[in-house]
Amino acid sequence: MGWEETEVRGYPEFVRTAQRYHGRPIFALFCGDKDAEGRSWCPDCVTAEPVVRKELHNLPDESVFIYCLVGDRAYWKDPNNEFRRNLKLTGVPTLLKYGTPQKLVEEECFKAELVRMLFTED
Amino acid sequence: SVQARKEDKPQKAMEVNGLTPVPHSYDYDLIVIGGGSGGLAAAKEAAKYEKKVMVLDFVVPTPLGGSWGLGGTCVNVGCIPKKLMHQAALLGQALQDSRKFGWQFTEEVKHNWMTMTESVQNYIGSLNWGYRVALRDNKVTYENAYGEFVGPHTIKATNKKGVEKLYTAERFLIATGERPRYLGIPGDKEYCISSDDLFSLPYCPGKTLVVGASYVALECAGFLAGLGLDVTVMVRSILLRGFDQDMANKIGEYMKEHGVNFIREFVPIKVEQVEEGTPGRLKVTAKSTTGNQIIEEEYNTVLLAIGRDPCTRKIGLDKVGVNINEKTGKIPVNDEEQTNVPYIYAVGDILQDKLELTPVAIQAGRLLVRRLYAGATRKCDYVNVPTTVFTPLEYGACGYSEETAVEKFGEENIEVYHSHFWPLEWTVPSRDNNKCYAKIICNIPDNERVIGFHVLGPNAGEVTQGFAAAMKCGMTKEQLDSTVGIHPVCAEV
């Protein structure tokens, strides 16, 4: 069946989408919002996204890749935002395997080797 | 005894091919067998010097089928989950104390085993992942495969699907650690658990019998009782063999007064299942070590903590000629962690006559690698290594026990200074006023140098660490006396 991608914005939509795909391996990339020209306020996210996208073909069959825009910079800086509180995210970009402690944070997302390891290994 | 350092020639082995010798190149500079505290520290250090390193880590499932990820005993089924569960028990005590300090809550406080275990396992999972990221980032090859020697410089790695691969390396580091020992009685492997199973047990253990008197046995019994479970410890002879017996007895007394039952001088001879379940019911039959008396009792869980055996018997050491102590399985090494085979080294719990502690393995691993690849000369210092036993009343120690000091220096040359103390935090909730205790052992002819430090009380580990550094500097009694205390803390005593 291969893998599929879906894009969401904000915490409630993320949760709904993750629940919808319950039972399949779910990988999620969290990035800062993009402006009208498609550029994110988060410079590390701008660097990480192409690296992650280049490795997507390694995703296991049946898995889902959720590309999640977390919000604007002000929302992200709030230490009580739902992503920080509920998903325990500490920074953007974060790339994680949902439901496991496996994740890559910030500069770790720049490294193709690590992204590949997250996607392909147990 | 210390073996002389063997020549470990760093050149590649030569293979004669017709007339000209051709240099034989190995797959790796270093293969580390065992991804625990010692193995990972050494692997990461070697990668820093741009060496080509592989780590092989494989957990042979427990008799009940349990397994875990990269990181070794400490991370998965040792120090880390132990301390977290010890903390869970301490928090239970703190909740009780809090009422005396004015906190009011009407509900009875209960403990949920599954909540605690899930949190602990989640944290361990993040550590497993962290190690894999660290290895990959440092370009260390990691394989989840069982490594064994098949010939000189050659190892066979078998993964859980049974796929075998051969690898060669210039040097090897054995860091395979240990696993819990079983009793060898009917029902032990079928029905009993060990520390390997306890920290991920998917149900509350209930009424538990802990067999053993090691620090593992007492720490586990301690936190299980602290979480509100009915706990009994069955001891064959003495508590905490190898530790200061004065302190060991005080620990036992405290545990007894705080709800842990002890059955002394008995050993189990049979474990039978009365009822299946999670937990089930088990009947344990035990025999006295001093007579013919037999006792029987039912428990939900039987936890064996009678010792640990090195994983050295099934890794092909005979194929490469590495000597082991046939009786104990431990590997004798010289003071540079080198086995009798010059290109094979060993660190950690498997070493003969060395301390079985994570920081020791890490230190030994790192220093060894620096000597091999960075021209360093410093060897691991195994003297005055501080330790802490996380029983309900924590015990921190560094240096000689009273018995060993008397044996080595003679009773007339030893002075022991001691004191009971009552932590200020214990006064208000009316906790024991005569249980916490500290003693130092001094060598009179050597300027009354402090050669042994022992403390029994809260946060013993934190207290002991500083004193260990002072002892390493050769602190004398006079220097200790002239150090002004911090008030009000336990450590000022």
Side-chain angles (χ1 to χ4, degrees), chain A residues 99-104 108 111 113-114 116-118 121-122, chain B residues 121-122 124-127 129 132-134 136-137 139 142 160:
Chain A
T100 75
Q102 299 185 353
K103 63 177 179 177
L104 298 172
E108 291 176 340
K111 300 178 182 175
E113 274 278 336
L114 297 184
R116 203 174 313 139
M117 182 168 83
L118 180 71
E121 293 179 27
D122 262 326
Chain B
Q121 286 303 316
N122 217 40
I124 292 173
S126 71
L127 292 179
W129 173 250
R132 290 176 56 200
V133 169
R136 187 60 70 91
D137 220 13
K139 312 252 184 303
Y142 156 61
K160 56 181 170 218

Side-chain angles (χ1 to χ4, degrees), chain B residues 45-233:
Chain B
E45 189 72 21
K48 272 200 231 170
Y49 304 113
E50 324 250 293
K51 294 297 160 189
K52 193 157 177 237
V53 186
M54 164 181 264
V55 170
L56 294 174
D57 187 67
F58 191 85
V59 179
V60 173
T62 75
L64 296 173
S67 185
W68 50 88
L70 180 63
T73 294
C74 175
V75 162
N76 292 286
V77 288
C79 334
I80 302 290
K82 176 264 300 277
K83 184 96 191 292
L84 290 172
M85 294 197 177
H86 169 67
Q87 175 66 2
L90 290 178
L91 288 171
Q93 175 73 67
L95 281 167
Q96 298 306 325
D97 289 353
S98 72
R99 290 188 204 265
K100 292 276 178 55
F101 281 96
W103 289 99
Q104 295 173 332
F105 38 99
T106 48
E107 291 161 34
E108 265 311 298
V109 171
K110 290 191 313 247
H111 184 259
N112 184 315
W113 174 269
M114 289 312 303
T115 306
M116 172 184 73
T117 309
E118 272 171 36
S119 308
V120 169
Q121 286 303 316
N122 217 40
Y123 176 63
I124 292 173
S126 71
L127 292 179
N128 298 141
W129 173 250
Y131 282 122
R132 290 176 56 200
V133 169
L135 288 185
R136 187 60 70 91
D137 220 13
N138 283 302
K139 312 252 184 303
V140 173
T141 309
Y142 156 61
E143 278 207 17
N144 184 210
Y146 187 92
E148 51 193 310
F149 288 97
V150 289
H153 291 273
T154 312
I155 204 151
K156 174 173 78 169
T158 310
N159 71 12
K160 56 181 170 218
K161 298 202 177 112
V163 176
E164 295 177 0
K165 291 196 218 168
L166 290 181
Y167 298 108
T168 60
E170 189 185 344
R171 292 190 178 101
F172 291 83
L173 177 63
I174 308 171
T176 49
E178 301 181 305
R179 296 296 291 271
R181 192 179 300 152
Y182 279 76
L183 281 166
I185 60 170
D188 66 350
K189 293 202 172 147
E190 297 92 308
Y191 307 123
C192 300
I193 64 168
S194 73
S195 57
D196 281 356
D197 308 290
L198 179 65
F199 302 109
S200 55
L201 206 61
Y203 52 84
C204 181
K207 178 179 171 190
T208 303
L209 174 70
V210 178
V211 183
S214 55
Y215 74 81
V216 174
L218 297 186
E219 286 177 340
C220 291
F223 74 70
L224 290 173
L227 298 176
L229 303 180
D230 176 347
V231 178
T232 304
V233 181

Side-chain angles (χ1 to χ4, degrees), chain B residues 316-388:
Chain B
L317 293 183
D318 51 321
K319 303 260 178 15
V320 281
V322 172
N323 289 339
I324 64 170
N325 179 318
E326 276 309 321
K327 179 160 168 281
T328 63
K330 297 235 174 180
I331 302 184
V333 292
N334 61 17
D335 63 355
E336 297 190 347
E337 288 82 31
Q338 191 184 32
T339 68
N340 61 303
V341 178
Y343 67 89
I344 301 181
Y345 298 80
V347 285
D349 290 358
I350 54 173
L351 296 191
Q352 182 163 280
D353 299 327
K354 300 281 196 285
L355 295 158
E356 295 179 21
L357 296 168
T358 285
V360 172
I362 292 176
Q363 176 88 313
R366 278 198 196 130
L367 293 181
L368 167 66
V369 164
R370 283 181 208 160
R371 289 194 305 270
L372 290 178
Y373 301 124
T377 51
R378 192 148 76 93
K379 301 182 197 179
C380 189
D381 185 359
Y382 293 97
V383 170
N384 284 343
V385 173
T387 63
T388 298

Side-chain angles (χ1 to χ4, degrees), chain B residues 174-472:
Chain B
I174 308 171
T176 49
E178 301 181 305
R179 296 296 291 271
R181 192 179 300 152
Y182 279 76
L183 281 166
I185 60 170
D188 66 350
K189 293 202 172 147
E190 297 92 308
Y191 307 123
C192 300
I193 64 168
S194 73
S195 57
D196 281 356
D197 308 290
L198 179 65
F199 302 109
S200 55
L201 206 61
Y203 52 84
C204 181
K207 178 179 171 190
T208 303
L209 174 70
V210 178
V211 183
S214 55
Y215 74 81
V216 174
L218 297 186
E219 286 177 340
C220 291
F223 74 70
L224 290 173
L227 298 176
L229 303 180
D230 176 347
V231 178
T232 304
V233 181
M234 186 174 285
V235 176
R236 190 188 55 180
S237 63
I238 61 171
L239 298 179
L240 295 174
R241 184 177 301 276
F243 286 83
D244 185 296
Q245 283 299 291
D246 174 32
M247 306 305 281
N249 289 325
K250 289 185 178 351
I251 291 172
E253 280 309 307
Y254 183 87
M255 286 175 71
K256 213 160 56 164
E257 282 169 32
H258 287 265
V260 178
N261 309 302
F262 280 85
I263 299 178
R264 308 287 300 247
E265 298 184 329
F266 271 83
V267 289
I269 54 173
K270 189 167 53 168
V271 177
E272 295 161 291
Q273 188 178 62
V274 172
E275 192 185 310
E276 256 189 80
T278 54
R281 279 162 53 212
L282 300 172
K283 184 169 92 165
V284 177
T285 308
K287 184 168 185 299
S288 164
T289 58
T290 57
N292 285 322
Q293 197 194 352
I294 302 271
I295 55 174
E296 280 178 3
E297 180 67 58
E298 243 184 59
Y299 302 92
N300 292 123
T301 297
V302 177
L303 170 67
L304 300 181
I306 55 169
R308 294 174 64 79
D309 292 320
C311 299
T312 51
R313 308 220 190 240
K314 295 186 187 167
I315 56 173
L317 293 183
D318 51 321
K319 303 260 178 15
V320 281
V322 172
N323 289 339
I324 64 170
N325 179 318
E326 276 309 321
K327 179 160 168 281
T328 63
K330 297 235 174 180
I331 302 184
V333 292
N334 61 17
D335 63 355
E336 297 190 347
E337 288 82 31
Q338 191 184 32
T339 68
N340 61 303
V341 178
Y343 67 89
I344 301 181
Y345 298 80
V347 285
D349 290 358
I350 54 173
L351 296 191
Q352 182 163 280
D353 299 327
K354 300 281 196 285
L355 295 158
E356 295 179 21
L357 296 168
T358 285
V360 172
I362 292 176
Q363 176 88 313
R366 278 198 196 130
L367 293 181
L368 167 66
V369 164
R370 283 181 208 160
R371 289 194 305 270
L372 290 178
Y373 301 124
T377 51
R378 192 148 76 93
K379 301 182 197 179
C380 189
D381 185 359
Y382 293 97
V383 170
N384 284 343
V385 173
T387 63
T388 298
V389 181
F390 294 97
T391 34
L393 191 57
E394 294 177 9
Y395 167 41
C398 184
Y400 288 93
S401 66
E402 204 171 323
E403 306 95 323
T404 325
V406 162
E407 199 187 304
K408 175 138 190 205
F409 298 98
E411 199 170 334
E412 65 283 4
N413 291 319
I414 295 296
E415 190 70 62
V416 178
Y417 297 91
H418 68 151
S419 173
H420 279 98
F421 61 91
W422 197 21
L424 183 61
E425 295 84 353
W426 287 23
T427 55
V428 165
S430 307
R431 287 174 63 188
D432 301 300
N433 64 355
N434 62 346
K435 289 295 184 296
C436 296
Y437 181 74
K439 77 177 174 188
I440 56 164
I441 303 165
C442 302
N443 185 358
I444 305 171
D446 181 20
N447 274 106
E448 247 197 328
R449 198 161 313 276
V450 177
I451 57 168
F453 170 87
H454 303 263
V455 67
L456 193 60
N459 305 304
E462 309 293 357
V463 171
T464 306
Q465 185 70 87
F467 285 96
M471 283 172 67
K472 190 140 277 225

